[in-house]
């Protein structure tokens, strides 16, 4: 197991990873607000988190990861009201498109995807704890966090509270606070809004509260890594720390990791500039999503990523070089002896340099440089007819190993995934086959089918009246 160094936003310096439990990383990643389809900026952040997860696994760690779905907040409520549908009806298609986007970019599923609307009890318990301890107060059906009580508020973002004078209006909202700097934990319901019962009357949770409550529920009061985009540092993550640490008296998170934003053609994405892309927009323009994954992961996460179509074409060209090396390798003859083959040492060097680069604050561009150095060596060995017995497999195994992190080297897998998500009919047919296999006590085949369906994001539920399925 290798112990990586990450740049910790808390303290603003690189620090070696330390975890609560030996060998295990518990990690919380802020998920989407499901009021629209994700844009490629959001997806950059989610892809960075996927590469982080896979890198930790590559380095020998067990990962337990949570990504929340914010399915109640001002934007989802407003969207549902404008569409004239319930909150659940409004958010469902965006939840579906979020998971579909993850699949299309080959982002691994994490262990938990909790939804805010399913954790209201945990959120209320946290607010009650804060009220009891004097860190929060009720005002007109809402509950606010009393920032003046929290001495180290600002430690993550460097936000200086003394710069904001009491009585000054910093944010527009209609609630009555003791101090303008205070932030809302629980919002009293306005006429016609979705609401849950609480000791302070009907209302709904504030956004910051959602992540604190769900993080602590699934990962414990103290956990290892918390990620998001740089825009989450303030106020979202600052407020998460304030709420959680005031309630528990414990350190909430050791390592905070934030990804820089994606911009398009050097500018911030915006609808009016016409540079606002969803994944489907890029596909409609003929983009290869495998190249997009490569492009997004090739830039270090703490640098701004400038998305351009030329950059996407360059990523496609880099993949082509990797594909060609594989074809040439498969065609090449292996010699008899192992004596002077350069391949064994080259494989070892690749895996070491690749791991070292990832362990160095997730330096993906260095990791790719190691891969391309390896490609050059393999090409030279093939040209010089220096392959020894077993070398071909050695190279393929090493590529598979680095692809556990990159997820871009297997062109066939991408082609199959693009062409063939399972249709409803195919799922039904597989379920019939699974039933028959079980009746024939062929549990191996039955499990295989379940595995195949799970891989495609299809969840099975065995009920007394038969097996039901749904797409996750
Ligand atoms: P949201 O759905 O708005 O809550 O955002 C989901 C995630 O996307 C958050 O972690 C944001 O930090 C991140 N994000 C938003 N805009 C960008 C962008 N332009 N580039 C990269 N990440 C972004
Ligand atoms: Zn969050």
């Amino acid at each position: 197991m290798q112990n990586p160094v990450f740049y910790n936003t808390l303290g603003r310096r690189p620090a070696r990873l330390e975890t609560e439990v030996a060998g295990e990383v518990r990690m919380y990643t802020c998920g989407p607000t499901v009021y629209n389809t994700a844009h490629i900026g959001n997806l950059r952040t989610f892809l960075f988190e996927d590469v982080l997860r896979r890198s930790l696994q590559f380095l020998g760690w067990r990962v337990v990861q949570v990504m929340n779905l914010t399915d109640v907040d001002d934007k989802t409520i407003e969207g549902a009201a404008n569409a004239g549908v319930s909150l659940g009806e409004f958010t469902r298609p965006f939840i579906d498109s979020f998971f579909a986007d993850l699949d299309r970019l080959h982002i691994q599923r994490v262990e938990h995807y909790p939804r805010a609307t399913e954790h209201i009890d945990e959120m209320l318990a946290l607010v009650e704890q804060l009220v009891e301890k004097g860190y929060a107060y009720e005002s007109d059906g809402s509950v606010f966090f009393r920032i003046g009580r929290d001495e180290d508020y600002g430690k993550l973002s460097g936000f200086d509270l003394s710069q904001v004078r009491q009585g000054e209006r910093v944010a527009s909202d209609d609630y009555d606070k003791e101090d303008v700097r205070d932030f809302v934990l629980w919002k009293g319901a306005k006429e016609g809004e979705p609401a849950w019962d609480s000791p302070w009357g009907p209302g709904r949770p504030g956004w910051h509260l959602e992540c604190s409550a769900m993080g602590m529920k699934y990962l414990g009061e103290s956990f290892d890594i918390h990620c998001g985009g740089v825009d989450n540092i303030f106020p979202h993550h600052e407020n998460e720390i304030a709420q959680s640490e005031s309630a528990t008296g414990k350190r909430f998170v050791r390592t905070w990791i934030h990804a820089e934003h994606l911009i398009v053609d050097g500018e911030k994405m915006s609808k009016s500039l016409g540079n606002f892309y969803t994944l489907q927009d890029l596909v409609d323009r003929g983009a290869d999503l495998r190249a997009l994954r490569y492009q997004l992961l090739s830039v270090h996460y703490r640098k701004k990523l400038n998305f351009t179509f030329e950059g996407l074409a360059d990523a496609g060209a880099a993949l082509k070089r990797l594909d060609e090396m594989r074809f040439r390798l498969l065609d090449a003859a292996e010699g008899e002896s192992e004596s002077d083959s350069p391949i064994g040492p080259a494989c070892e060097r690749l895996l070491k340099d690749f791991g070292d680069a990832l362990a160095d604050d997730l330096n993906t561009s260095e990791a790719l440089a190691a891969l391309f150095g390896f490609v050059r060596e393999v090409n030279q060995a093939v040209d010089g007819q220096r392959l020894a017995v077993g070398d071909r497999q050695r190279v393929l195994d090493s590529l598979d190993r680095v692809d556990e992190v990159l997820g871009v080297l297997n062109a066939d897998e991408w082609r199959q995934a693009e062409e063939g998500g399972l249709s409803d009919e195919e799922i039904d047919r597989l379920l019939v086959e699974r039933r028959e296999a079980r009746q024939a006590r062929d549990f191996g085949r039955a499990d295989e089918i379940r595995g195949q369906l799970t891989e495609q994001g299809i969840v099975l539920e065995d009920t007394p009246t038969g097996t039901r399925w749904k797409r996750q």
Side-chain angles (χ1 to χ4, degrees), residues 26 76 101 117 144 163 168 179 184 189 204 218 332 412 421:
R26 299 190 184 165
T76 43
D101 283 351
T117 52
F144 297 93
Q163 299 293 311
E168 199 177 336
D179 181 334
V184 70
R204 61 191 161 89
Y218 291 95
D412 281 345

Side-chain angles (χ1 to χ4, degrees), residues 28 30-31 68 207 211 226 236-237 240:
Y28 188 93
C30 285
N68 66 293
W207 173 41
C211 285
H226 196 315
H236 185 46
H237 289 164
E240 277 190 46

Side-chain angles (χ1 to χ4, degrees), residues 102 112 165 175 196 222 244 259 292 312 377 435 439 463:
L102 297 188
H112 304 282
R165 274 177 292 118
Y175 301 95
W196 288 261
S222 272
S244 309
L292 179 66
L312 187 60
E377 285 183 89
R435 196 181 61 231
Q439 275 162 2
T463 72

Side-chain angles (χ1 to χ4, degrees), residues 322-332 334 343-344 347 350-351 371 374 378 387 390-404 409-410 412:
L322 293 165
D323 292 346
E324 274 165 7
M325 181 271 257
R326 190 187 286 259
F327 294 140
R328 297 183 68 221
L329 179 76
L330 292 176
D331 260 357
E334 285 181 347
I343 292 296
C347 289
L350 167 66
L351 295 181
L371 176 60
F374 176 73
V378 174
L387 292 192
D391 273 353
R392 195 183 295 129
Q393 198 53 46
R394 233 166 255 136
V395 172
L396 293 176
D397 289 347
S398 304
L399 291 176
D400 280 351
R401 186 85 179 95
V402 301
D403 203 39
E404 285 167 21
L409 299 183
N410 193 332
D412 281 345

